[in-house]
Amino acid sequence: MKFDKTIHLPVSPDEAFALVTDPERLRRWQTVAARVDLRVGGEYRWTVTPGHHASGTFQEIEPGKRVVFTWGWESGMDLAPGASTVTITLEPDENGTSLRLEHEGLTDEQAAAHAEGWNHYLDRLTAETSSATGAGPDDWAAAPDPIDHFSAADASLAVLLRVLRNITSEDYGKPTPCQNFTIGQLLDHLAGSLKSVGTALGADPTDRTDASAEARIAGLAQPTLEAFTRRGAEGTVDMGFAELPATVVAGIVNLELLVHAWDFAKAIGQEIRVADVVSDHVTRLAEETVSDQVRASGSFAAAQPVAETAGSLERLVAFTGRTVSA
């Protein structure tokens, strides 16, 4: 069985090729995060939705014309990486590009499930290229089910990157709710945290300080979360300054991603949407991570009061010492 669908995109074949192969463009319509080694034999890994990771290798590459790659899932769907093949063919048409996607090597059940997924994402790709506002937030990435340390981090990253997408270098001097940090300083802090955790996990992430805010943090978060997901939350992690339980380190990563997403959003006057299941989970992690001793060290201010009507995210940021406006 196979899935086979053709759509029209109002962009050039070269731009269409970038949309289906470049991590920064993939994040606009299909993935939360993406690692891509675009060469024959090169590997890719996409966090399609929180907790669900597709991976495979590139078989054929003709820039602007065609790309073929194996496809499978690290878990779920009973379809291992490399077990099926996706072919994307691009041809110029009257007003842009005709994109044909064929997914072969599937059982009836797998074909039905992947048809639902590909139809969803091809609709988003069409919106990304034809709407002034792009594809917008993906509801499929909002609320992981089931949720754990790692799917919560993926969901928090999705929220954070949508905020960072709107930050320019001109915003770097603006203050944030994170005390004594401007946007630029908070970016440096977050980048340092992700790089530190990634390095401790053996990922060796690269901090591209000259990249946009979104690309910089995405480039650090993707390898760090990938390494952590594959390692799991058992045992301890040598952070250099101390051996910490892996669950504590995972809690810190979740807090860094979601709470700072709120900080950045407030700094630029942007509203953010976070599913309660995500902020509730990160709050539980915060309660296990932010002890009185941690607060005494200056890492977190005292918990702040909130109204009885406060939402889940507001309660989380108040617990971390932020003042939530009435």
Side-chain angles (χ1 to χ4, degrees), residues 88-298:
I88 298 177
T89 305
L90 306 168
E91 294 184 354
D93 64 18
E94 185 176 355
N95 298 304
T97 299
S98 173
L99 180 151
R100 181 182 183 186
L101 188 147
E102 302 168 86
H103 192 167
E104 301 178 275
L106 304 171
T107 65
D108 288 352
E109 182 179 1
Q110 291 164 350
H114 282 81
E116 181 182 7
W118 284 123
N119 282 321
H120 173 76
Y121 287 111
L122 290 174
D123 285 347
R124 285 181 53 77
L125 177 55
T126 299
E128 177 62 27
T129 58
S130 60
S131 169
T133 57
D138 183 4
D139 290 340
W140 285 17
D145 182 21
I147 192 165
D148 58 21
H149 292 76
F150 306 116
S151 62
D154 288 338
S156 297
L157 178 62
V159 172
L160 172 64
L161 294 181
R162 289 208 64 83
V163 176
L164 295 182
R165 196 167 299 163
N166 296 312
I167 290 178
T168 70
S169 58
E170 295 179 354
D171 295 318
Y172 285 10
K174 293 179 179 178
T176 73
C178 193
Q179 191 173 16
N180 299 323
F181 279 87
T182 63
I183 285 178
Q185 291 167 335
L186 190 56
L187 280 170
D188 288 342
H189 162 78
L190 178 56
S193 294
L194 290 169
K195 183 173 177 60
S196 177
V197 173
T199 299
L201 296 169
D204 193 26
T206 299
D207 186 3
R208 295 169 50 210
T209 57
D210 59 338
S212 69
E214 180 204 359
R216 181 185 183 188
I217 298 304
L220 290 164
Q222 190 284 323
T224 296
L225 294 185
E226 178 179 351
F228 218 157
T229 299
R230 289 180 170 168
R231 180 201 180 281
E234 299 77 25
T236 61
V237 178
D238 183 358
M239 292 299 298
F241 60 88
E243 286 268 352
L244 297 178
T247 52
V248 170
V249 179
I252 292 170
V253 170
N254 274 273
L255 279 169
E256 292 277 354
L257 296 174
L258 189 55
V259 174
H260 290 327
W262 184 87
D263 288 330
F264 287 122
K266 287 297 180 182
I268 61 173
Q270 178 178 330
E271 294 296 323
I272 60 173
R273 297 189 305 171
V274 181
D276 285 353
V277 67
V278 175
S279 48
D280 286 349
H281 187 83
V282 178
T283 298
R284 290 192 291 272
L285 296 180
E287 290 169 349
E288 298 170 0
T289 304
V290 184
S291 63
D292 290 340
Q293 182 180 2
V294 170
R295 291 192 196 275
S297 72

Side-chain angles (χ1 to χ4, degrees), residues 56-81:
T57 58
F58 291 101
Q59 305 296 296
E60 300 177 37
I61 299 171
E62 295 182 70
K65 295 181 180 180
R66 175 181 168 92
V67 60
V68 181
F69 48 93
T70 62
W71 175 278
W73 298 93
E74 291 185 359
S75 61
M77 292 296 296
D78 194 27
L79 185 68

